[in-house]
């Protein structure tokens, strides 16, 4: 990865805000034990008035040495007051 990734929220509840916190990560899913520059997605819920389930769809846009890449994920989120 080259540069800072960009997080896009394509679909999600309005009570939920997401941010990308930069830092080092360890890609154990790739068999790598060396810390690499990257980030973590942090979700924060505010003003939840009643229980709610919603679909959250996010997209990460990032650059690599081979060009631009995208990664999308879909989650079912449960919010409670």
């Amino acid at each position: 990865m080259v540069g800072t990734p960009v997080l896009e929220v394509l679909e999600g509840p309005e009570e939920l805000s997401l941010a990308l916190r930069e830092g080092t990560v360890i890609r154990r899913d790739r068999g790598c034990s060396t810390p690499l520059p990257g980030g973590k997605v942090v979700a924060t819920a505010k003003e939840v008035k009643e229980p709610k389930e919603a679909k959250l769809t996010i997209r990460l846009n990032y650059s690599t040495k081979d060009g631009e890449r995208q990664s999308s994920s879909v989650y079912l989120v449960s919010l409670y007051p």
Side-chain angles (χ1 to χ4, degrees):
M1 188 168 68
V2 177
T4 305
V6 177
L7 175 68
E8 289 181 74
V9 178
L10 303 177
E11 178 182 6
E14 58 189 36
E15 297 92 348
L16 197 62
S17 62
L18 281 93
L20 186 63
R21 184 181 303 161
E22 290 185 54
T24 57
V25 295
I26 297 176
R27 295 293 309 265
R28 296 191 194 282
D29 62 324
R30 304 280 180 177
C32 181
S33 61
T34 306
L36 302 169
K40 297 179 183 180
V41 177
V42 178
T44 306
K46 293 184 180 178
E47 299 182 21
V48 178
K49 294 179 174 51
E50 59 185 43
K52 181 178 189 179
E53 282 195 358
K55 184 164 62 167
L56 173 65
T57 306
I58 63 171
R59 178 187 298 150
L60 284 171
N61 295 307
Y62 54 96
S63 297
T64 68
K65 293 178 182 177
D66 297 327
E68 298 292 318
R69 299 284 187 256
Q70 293 182 345
S71 173
S72 298
S73 299
V74 179
Y75 303 94
L76 181 60
V77 179
S78 298
L79 302 174
Y80 296 96

